[in-house]
Amino acid sequence: MSTSKAMQQSFALRFSSGAFLAFWCLLAAFPIFWIAIMSFKSPVDAFAASPWDVITGPATRANGDGLSVLDIVVGLAVLYFAIRWAFTRLPGLVQQYCPPGMIALGWIFGAVIYAVAFVLIFFGLLPLILGAVNGLLGPLGTPVLGLTTEHYVAVWAENEFYRNFLNSMLVTAGVVTVSLTVGTLAGYGLARSGSDLAFWLLILALVFRALPHSVLVAGYLPVFINSSEILRPIFGEGAPTLYGQPWAVIAVLVAINQPFTIWMLRSFFQNIPAELDEAARVDGCSHFQAFRRVIMPVMWPGVITTGLFSFLLGYNDFLVTSLLLDAQNQTMVPAIAGYFNRETTTTDQVEAVAAAVSITAPLFLLVMVFQRQIVSGLTAGAVKG
Amino acid sequence: MKFKTFAAFVGPSIFMMLLFIAAPLLSVFIQSFQETITIQEQIEVETCTPGFVTQTCTTEIKTVPVLDDNGKTITETRWVGLQSYQNVLQMDKFWEAVGNGSWNDIMQIDFWKALRFTLSFTLLTLPLVIGVGLLIALTVNNAARSIRGPVIFVSLLPFIITPVIGSLSIYWLFVGDGILTSMMERWTGTNISMFAQAWTIEVLMYFYRVWHVAPFAFVIFYAGLQTVNMDTLESAVIDGASRWERLRHVIIPHLMPLIVFIALIHLMDCYRVFEEIVGFRSQAHVISLQWLTYDFMTPDDAGNRAISRASASAMLTMIGIVFLLILPLRRTWRDHKGSAH
C-alpha cells in the first residue's frame, strides 16, 4: 500500500530508527559470536585487553597455530557451498530418495548424514590437504591469523564432554517425547471443552508454571536419594536409586514443562476449526477417532513448535540437572560449572568457553531452521489468546 | 464434549502434574516442619603411646554416628515446627537490625539479602524489557520488509541461548581485563573491577536479563503491531495527532493486552532468577531466593544437605510468587467471565 503523505517520515526519524536497529542487532549477536572467536585462541589471546589481539591471535600464532591466507579462502569457500547446498541440493536428495509418508524421518536421516560429511571434510580432510599445500607455498603458507582447536580437543576428548552431550540428548529426547504425547491429548481436550473445569485446570497449570523449580527439587531430592528404600516393597532388592539417573530426571522436567505445553497446544488447537472434528463426529466417529483421523494430520505445526520449546527447556536446564544428577552423569550445562569449581586458571576459562560454544552451536542451527516456528510459538496464546 | 471423554484426554497430563508437581509441593511443605538428624553416641577411646618405662595412656570422649547392621548411619526425623523457618528468616537478628536502624545488618542475613535482590531485579527489569521490546518492535516495523527476517533471526539468538551460557558470554567480556572493561578503563582513565562489588555485578545482571528477554517482548509486540487498525491511525493523522500522540493513544492501547501478558510471564520468570547468579559467579556478593534454596540443597564439605531449611526457603519463595500472581489471575478470571457472556 502506498503511504499517505501525512504518514511519511522525516529522514532524521528513518535514520535514527535504522541506527537503533543496527545497534540492537550488534548488541544481540556480539557476545555470542565473540565467545566463539575466543574459543579458538590460546588463553593469552582469548582474554587479551585489546579486541584486535583477540581476533588476530598473536600469541596463538607464535605457537605455530593459525590459518594462512589460503586456509582462510578455501575454508570460507567450503563453508559457503556447504550452507548453499544445505538449502538447495539436500532438499532435492531427500525428496528423491525418501519414500512418501516418511519425509520427516528422511529429513532427519539426510540432515545427520550431511552434518557428519561436513564435519569429516571440514575438520578432517581439509586440514590435512591444506597442511601439505601450505608447506609447499613458503611465505604464502605462513599463518596470518592465530587459531587453534586445542581447547575443543581438551573439552571433548580429555574431559569426555561427549558423555555430557549424550546425557543431554537422552534427557532432551525423553522430555520432548513424553511432553508432546501427554500434552497433545490434554491440549486438545482443553481446547474443545468450554467448561469452567477446563478453565480452572488451565489456571492451575499457570500457577504450576510460576513455581520456582527449586521448590520442586526440594521435594524430589530426598525421594530420589532414598528411592531404593522407598521402592523396595514394590521392586524388591532390585529397587533403583533415582538420584544420578538421567532417565529419572526426564520425569521431573516433563512435569515442570507440562503447564507450558498444554497452554501452547491448547492455543494451537483452538485455531483448528471445531467444524472439522464435529463433521467427523456426525459421521459416527468417537472423539478419539475424530482426533486421530481429522486432527492429527493438521496438528503437526503446533506440535513441532511446542516440541521446540520442550527441547529448549530440557536442553538449557541447569538447576534441576545439577541437583538431581551426580558428577558422573551430568548433562552439558551443569558440567560447565565443573570448570569453575577447581582453582580456575585462564586455561580452564577458555575450555569453559569452548564447552559453552559447543552447547550453543546446535541452538544457533535450531534458530536458523525453525525461526518461523519459534516466532509463532512465542505469539501463540498472546496475540490470538 | 462429555466429561468422561474430557477426562480421558486430559487425565494423563493432570496425573503427571499431580504426581510430579503437587505431590512434591506437599512433600516440601511437610519437610519444612521436620528435620532429619544422624543419631550419634559418645564413646570412650583410649590411646596409648610407647613409653621408656611404662606406656602413657590418654582417654578421650569421641562422638561418632551409630551404625545399623548394614553399616549405614541411623537417622531420625522429628517435628521441629517453625524452627527451620526461623533458621532461614532469623527474625531475632532482623528485629535487632531494625532496632539499630541498620540496613547493612539486615542485608547480612541471607534470606533478606536474597529477597531484596530478587524483588529489585524483578521490578526494575520489567519496564526495561517492555520498553526495549516495544522500541525494537517499532523500529523493525519501520524497517524495509527485506531486512525484517534477518533482524528477527539475530534477535532470537539471545532468547534461545542457554541462560547460564548467555550470562557467561557477557561475563567473559568483562572479567579481569576483558575487552569491555579495558575499553571503559581507557575512557574513564580509572581502574575498574566489575566483579569486586555488588552494584556493578547487579548492573551486568540487569543488562543480561534485558538482553535475554527483550527479544521475547519484541516478537510479541511485532506480531501485535501487524494487527493495528490502519483506519484508526489515519483518522488520528487527519485530526492532527502527532506521532507521539498516535503512539500513546492508538498503538499502546491496542497493545495493552500484550503488555499485560508479557508482564505476567516476566514476573513469573524473573522472580525465579537463578542462572545469573551462576553465570556471573556472584554468590559472594549477590544472591537470589531461588539460589538460596539451591545452596541449601547443595552438599556441604561434609556431604550434608540442609533439606529442611531448603524446604522452608522454598515455601517462603512460593508465598512471594502467589502474591505476585494474585492480581493477574483475578484479571484473567474477569476476562474469562466476560467472554462467557
Side-chain angles (χ1 to χ4, degrees):
Chain A
M1 67 183 172
S2 63
T3 309
S4 64
K5 197 160 196 173
M7 298 278 271
Q8 286 173 7
Q9 300 165 6
S10 66
F11 171 79
L13 179 59
R14 296 194 67 88
F15 178 83
S16 58
S17 176
F20 173 79
L21 207 55
F23 172 75
W24 161 249
C25 288
L26 177 66
L27 197 70
F30 182 79
I32 299 168
F33 284 96
W34 193 254
I35 64 172
I37 293 175
M38 288 170 67
S39 69
F40 287 105
K41 311 293 175 178
S42 70
V44 172
D45 288 333
F47 288 96
S50 159
W52 182 248
D53 283 348
V54 179
I55 294 175
T56 58
T60 313
R61 194 172 66 235
N63 288 337
D65 297 310
L67 299 177
S68 66
V69 173
L70 178 68
D71 292 334
I72 295 171
V73 171
V74 174
L76 288 178
V78 171
L79 276 177
Y80 170 79
F81 282 108
I83 294 173
R84 179 183 174 88
W85 287 351
F87 288 99
T88 54
R89 300 199 178 188
L90 183 58
L93 287 174
V94 171
Q95 296 284 343
Q96 181 179 338
Y97 288 103
C98 185
M102 297 185 63
I103 203 70
L105 281 181
W107 260 108
I108 294 174
F109 189 67
V112 169
I113 290 187
Y114 192 84
V116 171
F118 172 79
V119 169
L120 289 178
I121 292 174
F122 194 75
F123 293 104
L125 193 60
L126 211 55
L128 290 180
I129 296 178
L130 290 174
V133 176
N134 281 328
L136 300 176
L137 293 181
L140 282 182
T142 306
V144 296
L145 191 79
L147 184 142
T148 178
T149 55
E150 65 181 17
H151 308 305
Y152 285 92
V153 173
V155 166
W156 283 86
E158 294 171 21
N159 297 333
E160 299 187 332
F161 197 67
Y162 66 91
R163 290 182 185 277
N164 307 119
F165 174 79
L166 292 177
N167 285 334
S168 282
M169 290 302 103
L170 170 64
V171 170
T172 306
V175 170
V176 172
T177 304
V178 181
S179 280
L180 290 183
T181 305
V182 176
T184 301
L185 294 172
Y188 175 72
L190 292 166
R192 290 295 183 258
S193 170
S195 70
D196 277 353
L197 176 60
F199 175 78
W200 283 115
L201 288 176
L202 285 164
I203 292 298
L204 180 74
L206 188 67
V207 171
F208 281 167
R209 185 196 179 284
L211 295 177
H213 300 167
S214 59
V215 174
L216 298 175
V217 178
Y220 287 113
L221 195 49
V223 172
F224 267 48
I225 291 176
N226 300 312
S227 62
S228 62
E229 293 169 17
I230 296 172
L231 296 174
R232 188 165 295 148
I234 304 173
F235 292 102
E237 285 305 317
T241 296
L242 298 177
Y243 177 76
Q245 302 293 341
W247 53 266
V249 168
I250 292 172
V252 179
L253 290 173
V254 166
I256 288 175
N257 194 41
Q258 198 61 204
F260 173 84
T261 303
I262 66 179
W263 263 91
M264 181 167 276
L265 282 168
R266 171 183 173 271
S267 296
F268 282 112
F269 281 121
Q270 282 186 321
N271 292 329
I272 299 176
E275 288 77 18
L276 281 185
D277 39 312
E278 281 174 7
R281 296 269 299 145
V282 168
D283 289 343
C285 293
S286 70
H287 272 291
F288 280 106
Q289 286 168 335
F291 177 78
R292 191 163 56 86
R293 297 185 184 179
V294 176
I295 301 297
M296 281 189 76
V298 300
M299 76 181 185
W300 294 111
V303 171
I304 288 172
T305 302
T306 306
L308 268 172
F309 284 89
S310 298
F311 170 88
L312 288 171
L313 175 109
Y315 189 83
N316 287 346
D317 175 77
F318 177 91
L319 192 152
V320 173
T321 45
S322 70
L323 283 173
L324 293 182
L325 296 175
D326 55 19
Q328 281 72 46
N329 280 319
Q330 281 179 329
T331 51
M332 288 192 289
V333 179
I336 284 198
Y339 287 100
F340 300 109
N341 285 345
R342 39 189 135 137
E343 291 299 320
T344 306
T345 66
T346 314
T347 302
D348 289 327
Q349 291 255 35
V350 185
E351 288 179 7
V353 177
V357 174
S358 302
I359 293 172
T360 304
L363 297 178
F364 185 87
L365 295 178
L366 195 85
V367 177
M368 284 180 68
V369 175
F370 292 107
Q371 175 174 332
R372 269 191 301 106
Q373 282 82 359
I374 293 171
V375 171
S376 71
L378 292 177
T379 53
V383 177
K384 304 161 185 170
Chain B
M1 181 182 279
K2 276 180 289 184
F3 175 79
K4 197 187 299 181
T5 308
F6 174 76
F9 272 104
V10 180
S13 182
I14 302 302
F15 171 76
M16 286 198 76
M17 286 197 283
L18 292 182
L19 179 61
F20 290 111
I21 297 183
L25 281 184
L26 184 61
S27 173
V28 172
F29 181 68
I30 293 173
Q31 281 168 198
S32 66
F33 296 108
Q34 297 174 336
E35 189 167 28
T36 301
I37 58 172
T38 303
I39 298 182
Q40 299 177 326
E41 63 179 357
Q42 294 184 331
I43 59 173
E44 281 188 5
V45 178
E46 191 176 35
T47 308
C48 299
T49 58
F52 179 72
V53 176
T54 62
Q55 288 181 313
T56 305
C57 296
T58 310
T59 304
E60 59 180 7
I61 308 295
K62 272 191 174 180
T63 305
V64 297
V66 178
L67 305 183
D68 64 11
D69 295 340
N70 297 320
K72 279 191 170 182
T73 57
I74 299 177
T75 59
E76 176 188 43
T77 302
R78 57 183 183 174
W79 191 264
V80 295
L82 294 173
Q83 183 60 49
S84 293
Y85 288 92
Q86 176 59 19
N87 289 343
V88 172
L89 291 166
Q90 301 190 52
M91 293 308 294
D92 49 347
K93 279 193 187 177
F94 178 83
W95 290 123
E96 181 183 337
V98 169
N100 293 336
S102 174
W103 176 257
N104 280 342
D105 285 351
I106 297 177
M107 288 298 109
Q108 290 303 307
I109 305 169
D110 278 349
F111 174 82
W112 300 102
K113 176 178 176 181
L115 179 65
R116 194 281 309 172
F117 172 72
T118 300
L119 290 178
S120 301
F121 189 76
T122 302
L123 298 177
L124 285 179
T125 51
L126 178 60
L128 292 173
V129 161
I130 291 180
V132 172
L134 184 58
L135 188 53
I136 300 170
L138 289 170
T139 51
V140 171
N141 203 46
N142 206 43
R145 214 160 281 271
S146 58
I147 69 171
R148 294 181 186 181
V151 170
I152 292 176
F153 168 78
V154 170
S155 298
L156 287 178
L157 294 177
F159 182 68
I160 296 297
I161 192 176
T162 308
V164 168
I165 291 171
S167 305
L168 283 169
S169 69
I170 292 175
Y171 170 82
W172 280 318
L173 298 177
F174 288 95
V175 67
D177 276 334
I179 59 169
L180 292 190
T181 301
S182 301
M183 183 183 297
M184 290 190 294
E185 286 177 339
R186 284 193 293 270
W187 284 348
T188 63
T190 62
N191 206 48
I192 297 177
S193 293
M194 291 297 287
F195 298 95
Q197 56 273 317
W199 74 269
T200 43
I201 299 178
E202 283 193 39
V203 169
L204 287 184
M205 289 182 175
Y206 296 138
F207 172 82
Y208 162 74
R209 178 57 65 135
V210 175
W211 178 79
H212 176 58
V213 179
F216 167 72
F218 148 58
V219 165
I220 290 180
F221 284 142
Y222 177 69
L225 287 176
Q226 310 313 302
T227 64
V228 172
N229 190 316
M230 294 306 293
D231 292 340
T232 307
L233 267 183
E234 289 178 359
S235 300
V237 173
I238 292 172
D239 289 344
S242 70
R243 197 174 308 278
W244 169 249
E245 283 165 344
R246 269 177 269 148
L247 178 65
R248 210 160 67 93
H249 295 294
V250 178
I251 294 179
I252 288 184
H254 177 77
L255 297 178
M256 189 53 68
L258 303 182
I259 293 175
V260 171
F261 172 79
I262 290 167
L264 174 63
I265 298 294
H266 181 81
L267 288 175
M268 288 193 286
D269 289 347
C270 245
Y271 196 79
R272 305 187 292 198
V273 51
F274 172 75
E275 278 86 4
E276 285 85 344
I277 313 291
V278 178
F280 288 102
R281 309 178 65 199
S282 73
Q283 46 268 46
H285 300 281
V286 181
I287 60 175
S288 70
L289 288 177
Q290 171 130 268
W291 186 88
L292 185 64
T293 306
Y294 172 89
D295 190 47
F296 283 135
M297 287 189 282
T298 305
D300 60 18
D301 292 338
N304 298 313
R305 304 173 195 254
I307 296 293
S308 186
R309 268 182 283 170
S311 300
S313 175
M315 295 306 295
L316 292 167
T317 304
M318 201 165 67
I319 290 172
I321 273 282
V322 170
F323 275 120
L324 280 181
L325 284 181
I326 286 173
L327 286 181
L329 289 183
R330 280 183 65 240
R331 178 180 177 126
T332 305
W333 172 246
R334 243 188 274 113
D335 289 348
H336 171 73
K337 274 313 187 184
S339 67
H341 299 331

